[in-house]
Amino acid sequence: MRRGIAATALVAAMALAATACGGDDGGSGGDKKSGGKLSGTVTYWDTSNEAEKGTYKELALGFEKKHPDVKVNYVNVPFGEALAKFKNAAGSGGSGAPDVLRTEVAWTQDLANIGYLAPLDGTPALADQSDYLPKALAGAKFKGKTYAVPQVIDTLGLFYNKKMLKDAGVQPPKDWTELKAAAKKIKQKTGKTGLYLRGDDAYWYLPFIYGEGGDLLDTGAKKVTIDDEPGIKAFAAARDLVTSKAAETDATDGWDNMQNAIKNGDVAMTINGPWAIEDTLAGKAFKDKSNLGVVPVPAGSKGQGAPQGGQNLTVYAGSKNLDASYAFAQYMSSAEVQAKTTEKLSLLPTRTSVYSNKSVAANPNVKFFKAAVDKAVERPWIPEGNSLFQAILVQFPNVLTGKTSPEKAAKSAGDAYRKLLKGDWK
Amino acid sequence: MAVDTSRPLDPAAGAKGARGRIRNAGTPPRSRIRNALARHWYAWAMVAPVVIVIGLIIGYPLGRGLYLSLTDANEANVERTIGVNHIPATYKNVGLDNFKAILDDQVFWDRLGWTVTWTVCCVALTFSIGLGLAVLLNRRFAGRTLYRSLLILPWAVPAFVSVFAWRLLYNEKNGILNKVLEGGGIDAVPWLNDPTMAKASVIAVNIWLGVPFMLVALLGGLQSIPGELYEAAEMDGASPWQRFRHITLPGLRSVSSTVILLSTIWTFNMFPVIFLLTRGGPGDATEILVTYAYRLSFVNSPRDFAGASAWGVLILLILMLFAVVYRRSLRKQGEVW
């Protein structure tokens, strides 16, 4: 403990010294406005997938060209492990924690709530706040402060194999009923399954509940709503697809099985987001890249809805190199970098200005997904946002295969939420 | 060891203690302790590092866990240091509330039921298969060493590697098991996607992992049974089954009681097999007590340290209770353990 105090005092003294000499010719790295040179190391944990990480590494190292004195330490951490890994590192006094972390939007509030993130209002990281899509920025806020810079925004869409649908003589379906009918025809004409529906990830449940006009929670009224009518209907609608054999599913390895199925042409459709475009196009069914079509997620009985997702850049509050970290976060979400990720990976920019870029505007996937994102449903931005998926995940596989009734599944999920959410939730 | 050997080397002290009971009656016990300390200080000094290390790596976490289980600590209210910021702890004592909540909850009893089923199935089958193989391999035949080493192979592979390999085998769409069945014209089996099949699948993997240990331990036990006993029994006309029942099983008792106890405790807490194979799924069909406790403390946000500690304490209590009952029943059979 004593050493902790000493360290605090030392850091405070250094900070004072840094501000004191900030008025000089910028000899120290502590000053950001006088054009002082940034230096040191920035460790960046990227969570992009196999198909994306090469591009991201190249872009991250590009920061070194702009700031020759800064060394970027790029680390790719698998998406599924990143949150736990970051929490372990940040909680134990920060040894091993990165300076900048790519966070899924639902992690932002969780990490900010525990105090691991540096607020970014007024820092260079958020210098041009007005350029960001309002929806993307909303997901970066917690209790009135902004804790993240939006990097990419996304939502789910229906990916389809154009050739298979044409062979079966069907149009891309607009709602679940049409999808069922289309799947039947596809089975008859080509012998393949219509849709692969992921059963091992709760994110894939969201289009169903939004399509029935419901939501997991009503954060305004502090009420759990998943066990209301729309929630039950959503489970029933998803189950109907699987039990009627319009869709196939798995309770484990869903991602790999889904991607294998669509890439090899074993299924005609999947529900997926922009992050999967690059990987899907690598499959043998899409040797001709124009064979991949994307349309909005089919609608439920109350209309169409898909969740808003995306990735943010957050700065660790305990970073020893905050100024370089802010600059790095700004760079990684800059118009220039976003244009490149769109060009190479078809990811959606979070800046309005990037959409007027020629190559971005011409990208058909972006054109589609931008419209979809504009309509996407915002998720509850609360610290428990990410944990909400756990309860659905426990129910989803068994509902899909007909082992649990939709009523029971919705009720169990609702009960689990009331246990999870502390405070006066109903 | 050092303490024991020093006693007979010091006949004067021993004799004085034996003869002079009345003379020494007035000596306060403290000086006796001091005497013992003075005489055996090196023994204490040698034991001290072990005691300190065990205290640090086992005693402290255990005590900390017990304490946390009586509070409402979670990730957002415990003490933490983030860079230069120090955030003090704000959690408070809530007594036995956590335990009350857990025991009132059906989730705990469901998980306990499956954990017990899983443990009993795994241990019983692992032990029987291990015993069968050990008896087979205890005979003399060509290539015995090769068979023995092959059967120990699962043990040589790190558990998580074998579990991942099994996961690939079990994959319903692209797994080898289903490809083989397909070749035989049999429909794909949803190994990990159907609750009942998933339970059978995780048990099968755990048995596969556990048999080598049983095999090695029981083979050692078998070799310590004197061959004369079998010869004598054969002379008396005992059948192979009678020899197995009345010589092999009693001869193995001390080994088997230990391996059963160990394997029960290991299986009860077998986190990697369940977590890496199914993550507790489909749904929560294969979730055992420890994987649920893990979920509370590492998956949910904010991490619920108090709840997970309470689960840990309950798991510890169940295992302690089991060990005590098991030991007592062995002692009744005349087993000194």
Side-chain angles (χ1 to χ4, degrees), chain A residues 114 250-251 253 387 394 419, chain B residues 80 105 167 173 193 283 301:
Chain A
I114 312 166
D250 285 288
D253 289 322
S387 304
V394 168
K419 221 192 291 177
Chain B
R80 55 205 182 277
D105 194 344
R167 193 164 155 167
K173 306 262 152 52
N193 297 328
S301 327

Side-chain angles (χ1 to χ4, degrees), chain A residues 185-308:
Chain A
K185 275 194 185 155
I186 292 168
K187 192 92 186 172
Q188 278 168 3
K189 293 271 166 58
T190 65
K192 308 283 171 134
T193 308
L195 175 77
Y196 188 100
L197 178 62
R198 271 194 88 181
D200 65 338
D201 194 317
Y203 201 61
W204 272 252
Y205 165 76
L206 297 178
F208 290 97
I209 190 166
Y210 296 150
E212 300 300 328
D215 203 340
L216 306 182
L217 306 170
D218 182 345
T219 38
K222 284 211 150 192
K223 189 177 174 304
V224 173
T225 52
I226 188 172
D227 45 2
D228 291 349
E229 200 59 35
I232 298 170
K233 277 190 182 165
F235 277 119
R239 174 161 95 157
D240 186 41
L241 293 178
V242 176
T243 48
S244 71
K245 301 236 186 299
E248 57 180 72
T249 185
D250 285 288
T252 42
D253 289 322
W255 175 263
D256 290 339
N257 288 344
M258 169 170 72
Q259 289 306 98
N260 281 338
I262 183 98
K263 281 155 87 173
N264 296 335
D266 294 336
V267 297
M269 297 172 270
T270 57
I271 295 170
N272 221 330
W275 60 85
I277 292 176
E278 198 59 27
D279 186 47
T280 310
L281 287 176
K284 67 175 185 207
F286 301 99
K287 276 201 184 108
D288 170 18
K289 291 195 182 209
S290 63
N291 191 29
L292 178 69
V294 188
V295 289
V297 166
S301 64
K302 290 274 153 55
Q304 196 268 342
Q308 180 203 322

Side-chain angles (χ1 to χ4, degrees), chain A residues 3-64:
Chain A
R3 207 200 281 170
I5 295 168
T8 317
L10 185 68
V11 171
M14 276 164 64
L16 273 176
T19 9
C21 61
D24 298 349
D25 52 2
S28 108
D31 196 280
K32 46 197 183 245
K33 286 203 181 90
S34 65
K37 266 186 162 178
L38 297 169
S39 61
T41 308
V42 175
T43 301
Y44 171 53
W45 279 10
D46 182 36
T47 56
S48 60
N49 62 33
E50 284 299 310
E52 299 168 335
K53 72 180 188 191
T55 309
Y56 269 110
K57 181 171 186 184
E58 202 186 308
L59 287 170
L61 295 181
F63 185 70
E64 288 178 341

Side-chain angles (χ1 to χ4, degrees), chain B residues 6-281:
Chain B
S6 77
R7 258 183 206 147
L9 288 177
D10 199 350
K16 201 161 87 186
R19 261 189 287 129
R21 200 177 269 172
I22 299 164
R23 222 196 314 161
N24 280 351
T27 323
R30 214 214 249 154
S31 78
R32 235 188 296 157
I33 293 171
R34 199 181 295 161
N35 262 343
L37 267 180
R39 213 162 352 125
H40 302 305
W41 64 270
Y42 51 89
W44 293 110
M46 284 180 179
V47 170
V50 177
V51 172
I52 292 168
V53 168
I54 287 185
L56 276 179
I57 65 173
I58 296 176
Y60 173 72
L62 189 68
R64 179 90 184 144
L66 279 171
Y67 168 67
L68 283 177
S69 70
L70 301 173
T71 64
D72 62 351
N74 65 35
E75 205 170 16
N77 63 17
V78 293
E79 176 185 0
R80 55 205 182 277
T81 309
I82 296 142
V84 293
N85 302 327
H86 184 79
I87 300 163
T90 49
Y91 58 90
K92 59 180 188 302
N93 206 309
V94 293
L96 293 173
D97 282 5
N98 291 324
F99 293 96
K100 222 184 290 164
I102 293 169
L103 297 178
D104 276 346
D105 194 344
Q106 191 54 37
V107 171
F108 174 77
W109 299 106
D110 287 351
R111 297 284 66 84
L112 181 64
W114 158 240
T115 310
V116 170
T117 319
W118 141 266
T119 310
V120 171
C121 286
C122 283
V123 174
L125 288 167
T126 315
F127 181 76
S128 329
I129 297 172
L131 181 61
L133 289 173
V135 171
L136 275 180
L137 288 179
N138 197 31
R139 297 153 179 247
R140 269 174 220 292
F141 58 88
R144 184 166 75 157
T145 329
L146 180 73
Y147 281 113
R148 283 189 185 175
S149 7
L150 281 179
L151 280 166
I152 296 177
L153 241 157
W155 219 18
V157 183
F160 74 93
V161 175
S162 10
V163 175
F164 275 128
W166 274 99
R167 193 164 155 167
L168 293 178
L169 296 178
Y170 277 144
N171 191 312
E172 189 180 342
K173 306 262 152 52
N174 313 303
I176 299 170
L177 288 180
N178 277 345
K179 290 269 189 266
V180 171
L181 290 180
E182 207 178 295
I186 303 166
D187 272 353
V189 177
W191 298 106
L192 299 178
N193 297 328
D194 175 81
T196 322
M197 273 318 293
K199 284 178 178 174
S201 304
V202 287
I203 290 176
V205 171
N206 197 44
I207 291 171
W208 186 82
L209 281 172
V211 161
F213 168 72
M214 288 287 183
L215 176 71
V216 171
L218 294 174
L219 205 50
L222 282 177
Q223 279 162 3
S224 72
I225 301 174
E228 293 84 30
L229 288 178
Y230 289 103
E231 280 169 30
E234 229 167 317
M235 298 283 276
D236 292 343
S239 70
W241 171 246
Q242 281 172 325
R243 273 177 272 154
F244 178 73
R245 267 223 57 194
H246 298 289
I247 302 175
T248 311
L249 282 185
L252 281 178
R253 193 180 282 161
S254 59
V255 176
S256 54
S257 60
T258 311
V259 290
I260 287 178
L261 178 79
L262 279 180
S263 128
T264 305
I265 293 173
W266 288 342
T267 311
F268 197 89
N269 284 341
M270 184 49 85
F271 180 80
V273 171
I274 303 267
F275 186 75
L276 297 177
L277 210 57
T278 64
R279 307 245 153 192

